Amino acid sequence: MTAGQPGPQPVGPLGTAERAPAPDLARGAMLLLIALANTPFYLYGRAHSEAGFHPVDGSPVDRVVQAALIIGVDMRVYPMFAFLFGYGLAVIRRRQAEAGVPDARAFAVLRRRNLWLIAFGLVHALLLWGGDVLGAYGLCGLVLTWLFLRRSDRTLLVWSALGTVVLTAFAAFSLYGAWAVVVEGVPVQGGGLPAFVTASASATDPLTAALDRMLLWPFIVLGQGLFGVAVPVAMLLGVWAARRRVLERPAEHRRLLWPAAVVGVAVGWLGGLPHALAHVGVLPELGTVVWAFTAVQMVTGLVCGIGYVAVFGLLAARLEGRPPGRAASAVTALGRRSMTGYLGQSVLCAPVLAAWGLGVGGLLGSAGMAVYAVGVWTVTVAVAVALERAGRTGPAEQLLRRLVYRPGR
């Protein structure tokens, strides 16, 4: 390259034929879990748990659904999302390096991508969903790209371990506080979720609901994106895994994926079991300290989310070299359009379920809401399959790529 000539331009995202199936399969399935995790937020007009959006009453079927979601979904999905997000950041940087793109220009691509995700999240929260995570992941990606993406594997693992220790210590202190309440009779004043967290679901005026969402969104961005610890830790581990192409070559990493899957899912489900039993009244003596399980859910959710990713890595390894089948192909198609699928869930949920829309959320129970969540996910799968057959990407992904990979940038 002679003086004055521009260097190699950043390369765009992978084409369909180049993409590894495991991350997309995991993203597509993750969106089902996200729908199941988010839709209980719309169950307004009834008393909620102090440690989540689940109502404290309901039919026996509702209680079974609540317990299943607490054990297998709540605070387990977003670490999974963060891991895959970090994995994607590392893949983008690797592709730029392989194309000879200077590091400064590659990092400019990542910076623009994360900034635009924050902007997308802001609009998403303003119009539909205050619990948006695009802003949180964009902010976390911005900070971690700056601080860690050039750092060694050892540094990534050390900081991941430190974050996990912090979360574990927080959980241990919470459990000690719960023990003091139950065994020693230390008085405690119940709090529950702050009113502004759920206000937008029950607001009947669209403008008021939008203002409520905008009050909530900054707390989500900062709390989940940085200070919640689980998301940064999962993202760092995703970067580490991408450097080893764990999900792109899962068959070569079965010795890593099997323990991660078994231990991760077991710890996650066992960690959520006491919370679930307390919530549904099987362990009523723990009802006064259900708040303590929030911290336990965070640390076991981190382990469980990574375990879920490992499960889909093993599934991809099993499918390697054979036709994936219609179901796996459909879920993978959604995973390739995960941002469109995620935003599409809000389009299908908020105007129907919130009080400012049709208000259906005030009529459903937990079981009915879970059925609705599965239906929403199924619709997004069908749309993704139609786009796949037409050879088109998702509209959200297409817009983001145009903004991030504009010529000359």
Side-chain angles (χ1 to χ4, degrees):
M1 181 177 72
T2 61
Q5 287 184 328
Q9 293 296 305
V11 294
L14 290 166
T16 300
E18 303 170 281
R19 294 176 70 103
D24 288 330
L25 182 63
R27 290 186 187 100
M30 172 194 69
L31 286 167
L32 172 59
L33 301 181
I34 287 178
L36 290 167
N38 286 347
T39 46
F41 169 85
Y42 293 105
L43 292 169
Y44 67 88
R46 64 209 80 183
H48 286 257
S49 165
E50 292 190 4
F53 297 134
H54 300 291
V56 294
D57 55 10
S59 69
V61 176
D62 289 330
R63 306 299 265 170
V64 169
V65 169
Q66 293 163 12
L69 294 179
I70 290 170
I71 292 170
V73 176
D74 290 357
M75 296 190 188
R76 278 100 179 92
V77 185
Y78 293 113
M80 179 181 178
F81 197 164
F83 182 96
L84 294 169
F85 187 90
Y87 199 102
L89 290 178
V91 170
I92 291 172
R93 188 197 179 194
R94 181 209 307 155
R95 293 194 71 239
Q96 306 306 319
E98 291 172 348
V101 176
D103 217 27
R105 190 168 286 173
F107 273 74
V109 168
L110 291 170
R111 183 170 59 252
R112 284 197 303 275
R113 186 174 187 271
N114 288 315
L115 286 171
W116 276 114
L117 282 175
I118 296 174
F120 275 52
L122 174 63
V123 175
H124 184 209
L126 176 64
L127 297 179
L128 293 169
W129 175 236
D132 162 82
V133 296
L134 295 180
Y137 286 67
L139 176 62
C140 190
L142 200 65
V143 173
L144 294 190
T145 296
W146 171 47
L147 291 177
F148 290 104
L149 210 56
R150 294 184 178 94
R151 307 296 292 273
S152 68
D153 290 347
R154 177 184 174 85
T155 299
L156 298 181
L157 293 177
V158 167
W159 279 93
S160 298
L162 288 174
T164 304
V165 168
V166 168
L167 279 177
T168 304
F170 182 38
F173 282 121
S174 296
L175 290 176
Y176 175 76
W179 176 84
V181 171
V182 173
V183 177
E184 299 186 359
V186 175
V188 63
Q189 183 175 2
L193 294 173
F196 76 89
V197 174
T198 56
S200 65
S202 57
T204 56
D205 176 56
L207 179 58
T208 301
L211 292 174
D212 289 335
R213 290 193 297 270
M214 293 313 298
L215 178 62
L216 172 63
W217 186 69
F219 288 90
I220 299 293
V221 171
L222 294 174
Q224 194 171 81
L226 291 178
F227 302 125
V229 182
V231 165
V233 168
M235 210 172 281
L236 288 175
L237 291 174
V239 172
W240 178 87
R243 290 178 177 179
R244 282 155 181 74
R245 301 176 187 258
V246 171
L247 296 181
E248 292 143 283
R249 301 170 182 169
E252 299 175 13
H253 297 278
R254 283 192 175 95
R255 294 181 65 182
L256 173 64
L257 291 172
W258 268 110
V262 173
V263 174
V265 174
V267 168
W269 289 5
L270 289 173
L273 185 60
H275 182 185
L277 295 178
H279 176 81
V280 300
V282 174
L283 296 177
E285 61 273 15
L286 298 182
T288 57
V289 294
V290 70
W291 46 266
F293 294 117
T294 299
V296 177
Q297 288 286 73
M298 289 173 65
V299 66
T300 59
L302 169 63
V303 179
C304 190
I306 294 170
Y308 285 164
V309 174
V311 168
F312 287 102
L314 290 169
L315 180 59
R318 185 175 180 83
L319 295 174
E320 205 168 80
R322 66 178 73 177
R326 293 178 64 181
S329 296
V331 175
T332 301
L334 178 60
R336 292 181 183 135
R337 299 157 181 86
S338 56
M339 188 160 70
T340 295
Y342 174 66
L343 297 175
Q345 288 184 7
S346 296
V347 173
L348 295 170
C349 286
V352 176
L353 300 175
W356 56 266
L358 297 179
V360 174
L363 305 175
L364 294 175
S366 296
M369 188 62 80
V371 172
Y372 188 85
V374 173
V376 164
W377 179 77
T378 303
V379 170
T380 61
V381 170
V383 171
V385 169
L387 291 172
E388 182 84 3
R389 290 174 178 172
R392 297 171 57 189
T393 189
E397 286 78 11
Q398 186 176 15
L399 177 57
L400 181 63
R401 291 170 186 178
R402 286 181 178 177
L403 294 168
V404 171
Y405 296 98
R406 284 184 290 176
R409 295 298 298 273

